[in-house]
C-alpha cells in the first residue's frame, strides 16, 4: 500500500510539473487569441482573418518551441544530477545532497508532448463545445432575431480568448455561411503537442552536446597542461643554475 502511495505521489508531482511548464505557452496562446480577435474587428474578409490567424499561430508556436527548448535543457541537467545521486547511492550507499534537485524535473522524452497537450487543451475542449452547439451558433450569426443564451455566449467568448488562434478562423468561416465542422479544430491541438515534444527533446540533446563539448575542451586543456615541460626552481642561489650553451 505504501508503495502504491509513493508511486501515486510521484505521478501527481510529474503531472503538476508538466502543467506548470504549460502555463507560459498557454499564456502566449491566450495573447495570440486576443490579438487575433482585435484584428478580426478590423478585418472583414474570411481570407484575411485566416491569414492573420496563421501569423498569430506561428508566433505563438515559435515562442512555445523556444520555451520547450530551454525546458528540455534544464530537465536534462536535472537528469544528470539524478543519475549522480543514484550512482552515489549504489556505489557508496548514500545519496549526494543536491539542494536544487527535483525528481519531477528530470528529463523524459515524453514530457514535452504532455506539456504540449496541457498547453493546447483549451483547443480540444473549445472545439467540442463549439461543435456540439454549432447549429445554434450559425443561426445566431445568420439572423439578428436569434441570439445565443447568456451561458453559451460567455463560453464562446471565453474559449475565443483561450484558444481563438485555432477556433476563430472556424467561427469566421461559419459566420460567413461556409459550413466547417468545429470538431475539425480539435486536430490543431496536435500543433502544440508536436512543437513542444520535438523542441523539448531537441533542447535536451542540445544541452547534452554542449556539455560533451565542454568536457572535451577541458580534457584537451588538461592534457596540454600535463605535456608542458616543468620548470625547475633552483632557488636563485649562485652556482646552482646551469649555464646556457652558446
Amino acid at each position: 500500500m505504501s508503495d502504491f502511495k509513493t508511486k501515486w505521489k510521484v505521478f501527481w508531482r510529474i503531472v503538476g510539473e508538466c502543467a506548470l511548464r504549460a502555463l507560459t505557452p498557454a499564456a502566449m496562446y491566450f495573447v495570440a487569441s486576443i490579438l487575433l480577435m482585435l484584428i478580426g474587428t478590423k478585418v472583414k474578409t474570411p481570407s484575411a482573418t485566416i491569414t492573420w490567424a496563421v501569423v498569430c499561430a506561428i508566433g505563438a508556436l515559435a515562442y512555445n518551441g523556444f520555451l520547450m527548448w530551454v525546458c528540455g535543457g534544464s530537465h536534462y541537467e536535472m537528469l544528470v544530477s539524478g543519475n549522480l545521486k543514484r550512482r552515489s547511492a549504489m556505489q557508496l550507499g548514500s545519496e549526494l545532497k543536491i539542494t536544487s534537485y527535483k525528481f519531477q524535473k528530470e528529463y523524459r522524452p515524453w514530457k514535452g508532448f504532455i506539456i504540449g497537450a496541457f498547453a493546447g487543451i483549451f483547443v480540444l475542449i473549445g472545439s467540442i463545445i463549439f461543435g456540439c452547439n454549432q447549429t445554434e451558433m450559425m443561426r445566431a450569426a445568420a439572423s439578428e432575431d436569434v441570439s445565443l443564451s447568456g451561458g453559451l455566449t460567455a463560453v464562446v467568448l471565453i474559449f475565443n480568448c483561450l484558444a481563438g488562434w485555432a477556433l476563430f478562423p472556424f467561427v469566421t468561416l461559419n459566420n460567413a455561411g461556409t459550413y466547417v465542422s468545429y470538431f475539425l479544430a480539435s486536430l490543431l491541438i496536435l500543433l502544440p503537442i508536436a512543437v513542444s515534444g520535438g523542441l523539448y527533446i531537441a533542447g535536451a540533446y542540445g544541452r547534452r552536446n554542449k556539455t560533451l563539448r565542454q568536457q572535451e575542451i577541458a580534457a584537451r586543456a588538461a592534457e596540454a597542461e600535463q605535456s608542458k615541460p616543468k620548470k625547475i626552481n633552483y632557488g636563485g642561489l649562485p652556482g646552482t643554475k646551469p649555464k646556457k650553451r652558446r
Side-chain angles (χ1 to χ4, degrees):
M1 187 66 180
S2 60
D3 185 55
F4 173 78
K5 288 183 178 180
T6 302
K7 291 182 178 179
W8 193 247
K9 185 178 180 180
V10 170
F11 170 78
W12 281 113
R13 285 192 178 182
I14 293 174
V15 170
E17 171 65 16
C18 292
L20 182 64
R21 292 289 181 173
L23 288 179
T24 309
M28 188 60 196
Y29 290 121
F30 171 78
V31 172
S33 300
I34 295 296
L35 180 61
L36 181 59
M37 290 177 64
L38 294 175
I39 293 173
T41 60
K42 304 295 183 180
V43 176
K44 302 302 180 183
T45 61
S47 59
T49 302
I50 293 174
T51 301
W52 278 108
V54 171
V55 172
C56 292
I58 290 175
L61 289 168
Y63 185 70
N64 184 7
F66 170 74
L67 291 176
M68 289 301 99
W69 174 278
V70 175
C71 180
S74 63
H75 279 195
Y76 173 77
E77 289 185 345
M78 199 64 67
L79 175 63
V80 173
S81 299
N83 289 337
L84 289 175
K85 288 174 67 68
R86 286 183 285 271
R87 188 178 297 115
S88 174
M90 291 177 61
Q91 296 177 353
L92 305 177
S94 61
E95 289 188 351
L96 291 174
K97 291 184 178 180
I98 304 176
T99 56
S100 61
Y101 171 75
K102 302 291 182 183
F103 70 87
Q104 64 268 28
K105 293 185 178 183
E106 284 192 12
Y107 166 78
R108 295 293 184 273
W110 46 265
K111 278 188 177 180
F113 299 101
I114 301 299
I115 294 171
F118 276 121
I121 191 65
F122 293 115
V123 175
L124 179 62
I125 298 174
S127 63
I128 293 174
I129 294 175
F130 283 25
C132 293
N133 297 278
Q134 184 159 1
T135 303
E136 291 81 356
M137 293 174 65
M138 291 188 68
R139 286 177 181 173
S143 175
E144 296 181 355
D145 298 330
V146 180
S147 60
L148 299 176
S149 63
L152 184 57
T153 301
V155 170
V156 169
L157 178 61
I158 290 172
F159 279 95
N160 273 333
C161 293
L162 295 175
W165 66 274
L167 298 174
F168 198 68
F170 289 82
V171 174
T172 302
L173 289 173
N174 281 283
N175 290 348
T178 303
Y179 179 85
V180 182
S181 176
Y182 285 114
F183 291 114
L184 293 176
S186 62
L187 297 176
L188 295 180
I189 192 178
L190 297 176
L191 292 177
I193 290 176
V195 169
S196 298
L199 271 296
Y200 178 83
I201 294 173
Y205 274 90
R207 184 62 60 87
R208 173 180 175 271
N209 293 336
K210 182 180 179 181
T211 303
L212 291 176
R213 286 195 300 268
Q214 291 175 344
Q215 291 175 351
E216 290 177 359
I217 293 172
R220 290 174 185 173
E223 290 178 0
E225 186 68 24
Q226 290 179 356
S227 62
K228 288 182 179 179
K230 295 183 179 180
K231 294 182 179 181
I232 302 175
N233 184 10
Y234 293 96
L237 298 177
T240 58
K241 188 174 182 180
K243 296 181 180 180
K244 294 182 179 179
R245 294 181 180 179
R246 294 181 180 178

